[in-house]
C-alpha cells in the first residue's frame, strides 16, 4: 500500500474482454443497483482485419466481480464511449463514438418502464468522420446533456433536446491532429469549457460564454 492519496497499481483480468480489441470503457451504474458497471467499446482488430465487434455490457455484483450481461450493442467499429442520462428519465444511457460519427443507446429502465441496464438503439445516427472521443456535458445551461464529438482535427457540438434527440450546432472547434481533449469549468463561472492540448505542449482553451457559445481564449 502506498502513501495516503497515492495510487497503487494493481491488475486483474476480465475474462469477458480477453482477446477483444478494446477501444474505450466507461464506468457507471447501468442497472440501478448502486454499484459501478462497465460499458466497453469494441473496435475492429488492429491486425488481421475482420468485421467489427459489438460493444459489451458487464455488470458488477457489488464486489468488483463482473459478468457479461449478454448484450451485444451494434457492429459500429466503436472508438470511445461516454455515459449519461440523455433522455432525462433517471438512468444512464450511452453515447458511443464510431468510425462514422456516433451512436446513441437508450437504457430501457426509467421512463421506458422496462429492465434497467438493457440498451436499445435510439435510431439516431450522429453523422461525422472518425471519432476519437465523445463527451456528454450540459454545454448551454439548459439542464440537458449535450454531446461533444471529437474527430481527428475537429470537434463538433450537438445539442440535446432533453429527450435524447441531438441536433448539430454550427460550432466547430479545430486543433492539431495529435491532441488530447477535455471538458470542464476552467474559468470558475459555472459553465463547462473545452481544453485541447497537443503533442508540442501547445494548448487551446475555448471558454463557454454562458449559453453554449464558445470563444477561443488562451492559446499557447
Amino acid at each position: 500500500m502506498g502513501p495516503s492519496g497515492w495510487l497503487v497499481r494493481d491488475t486483474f483480468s476480465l475474462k469477458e474482454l480477453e482477446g477483444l480489441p478494446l477501444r474505450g470503457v466507461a464506468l457507471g451504474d447501468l442497472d440501478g443497483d448502486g454499484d459501478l458497471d462497465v460499458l466497453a467499446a469494441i473496435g475492429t482488430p488492429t491486425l488481421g482485419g475482420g468485421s467489427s465487434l459489438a460493444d459489451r455490457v458487464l455488470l458488477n455484483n457489488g464486489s468488483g466481480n463482473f459478468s457479461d450481461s449478454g448484450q451485444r450493442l451494434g457492429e459500429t467499429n466503436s472508438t470511445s464511449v461516454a455515459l449519461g442520462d440523455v433522455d432525462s428519465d433517471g438512468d444512464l444511457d450511452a453515447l458511443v463514438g464510431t468510425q462514422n460519427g456516433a451512436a446513441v443507446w437508450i437504457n430501457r429502465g426509467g421512463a421506458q418502464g422496462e429492465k434497467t441496464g438493457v440498451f436499445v438503439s435510439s435510431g439516431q445516427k450522429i453523422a461525422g468522420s472518425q471519432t476519437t472521443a465523445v463527451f456528454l456535458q450540459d454545454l448551454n445551461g439548459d439542464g440537458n446533456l449535450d454531446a461533444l464529438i471529437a474527430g481527428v482535427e475537429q470537434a463538433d457540438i450537438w445539442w440535446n433536446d432533453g429527450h435524447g434527440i441531438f441536433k448539430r450546432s454550427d460550432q466547430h472547434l479545430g486543433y492539431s491532429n495529435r491532441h488530447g481533449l477535455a471538458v470542464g469549468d476552467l474559468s470558475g463561472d459555472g459553465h463547462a469549457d473545452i481544453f485541447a492540448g497537443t503533442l508540442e505542449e501547445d494548448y487551446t482553451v475555448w471558454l463557454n460564454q454562458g449559453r453554449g457559445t464558445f470563444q477561443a481564449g488562451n492559446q499557447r
Side-chain angles (χ1 to χ4, degrees):
M1 180 178 296
S4 177
W6 286 49
L7 296 178
V8 178
R9 180 177 178 179
D10 193 10
T11 60
F12 63 95
S13 175
L14 282 176
K15 60 181 178 57
E16 293 83 4
L17 299 179
E18 286 180 359
L20 295 175
L22 185 63
R23 304 300 182 217
V25 64
L27 293 173
D29 183 7
L30 303 178
D31 56 0
D33 65 355
D35 50 44
L36 294 177
D37 308 302
V38 170
L39 201 153
I42 308 298
T44 297
T46 302
L47 299 177
S51 60
S52 61
L53 300 173
D55 301 331
R56 304 292 202 268
V57 176
L58 306 184
L59 299 179
N60 187 351
N61 70 353
S63 300
N65 299 310
F66 294 87
S67 61
D68 189 345
S69 71
Q71 298 180 72
R72 299 294 181 264
L73 307 185
E75 289 284 346
T76 56
N77 192 6
S78 301
T79 62
S80 49
V81 59
L83 298 175
D85 183 9
V86 302
D87 57 357
S88 308
D89 68 348
D91 53 28
L92 290 179
D93 310 299
L95 175 68
V96 177
T98 73
Q99 291 292 321
N100 298 294
V104 179
W105 292 88
I106 299 297
N107 193 327
R108 296 299 292 174
Q112 284 75 30
E114 299 181 24
K115 185 176 181 179
T116 304
V118 174
F119 290 83
V120 296
S121 173
S122 72
Q124 181 181 13
K125 302 296 183 182
I126 297 179
S129 58
Q130 178 182 347
T131 299
T132 59
V134 292
F135 302 87
L136 286 171
Q137 186 87 31
D138 181 8
L139 298 175
N140 59 0
D142 66 354
N144 304 318
L145 294 178
D146 307 302
L148 181 67
I149 311 295
V152 175
E153 294 183 331
Q154 175 178 291
D156 297 321
I157 296 171
W158 290 68
W159 303 127
N160 183 0
D161 69 353
H163 302 286
I165 304 300
F166 292 86
K167 179 180 179 181
R168 189 199 295 266
S169 78
D170 59 1
Q171 298 184 77
H172 312 289
L173 312 177
Y175 40 70
S176 163
N177 66 349
R178 304 184 75 176
H179 72 282
L181 204 67
V183 179
D185 181 7
L186 301 175
S187 57
D189 62 359
H191 307 303
D193 308 303
I194 299 170
F195 175 95
T198 71
L199 180 66
E200 296 81 12
E201 298 184 357
D202 297 333
Y203 67 86
T204 300
V205 173
W206 288 275
L207 297 177
N208 191 334
Q209 303 303 295
R211 294 183 178 274
T213 299
F214 290 83
Q215 179 177 333
N218 294 332
Q219 299 187 50
R220 184 176 300 173

